[in-house]
Amino acid sequence: LQNRLSIYSPTIQNISYKIFNINGNLVINDFLLLTNNTKIINLENLNSGVYMIVLSDENNQLISQKRIVKIN
């Protein structure tokens, strides 16, 4: 799906995520409550570029971090 990022976790339901731009500036800081183990993050408002998403659990423990390349 264009402009969308799917988050899946079979074990963790409460996930916080932060998206940083290539300069390290925080552009999105939000919280997800996963229903049916999946949630979609809308990326429509991001400009084209390279971003880093950092996912953490409710105890602020790192779950994952991934690079996102957004192309409009």
Side-chain angles (χ1 to χ4, degrees), residues 39-61:
K39 191 71 172 186
I40 303 294
I41 298 174
N42 186 344
L43 303 176
E44 282 182 0
N45 294 330
L46 292 180
N47 294 325
S48 293
V50 178
Y51 297 88
M52 178 70 69
I53 185 167
V54 178
L55 304 171
S56 302
D57 67 12
E58 57 269 2
N59 297 317
N60 207 27
Q61 296 295 312

Side-chain angles (χ1 to χ4, degrees), residues 27-39:
V27 293
I28 299 175
N29 184 12
D30 209 346
F31 182 85
L32 297 173
L33 178 59
L34 273 61
T35 53
N36 299 324
N37 302 328
T38 304
K39 191 71 172 186

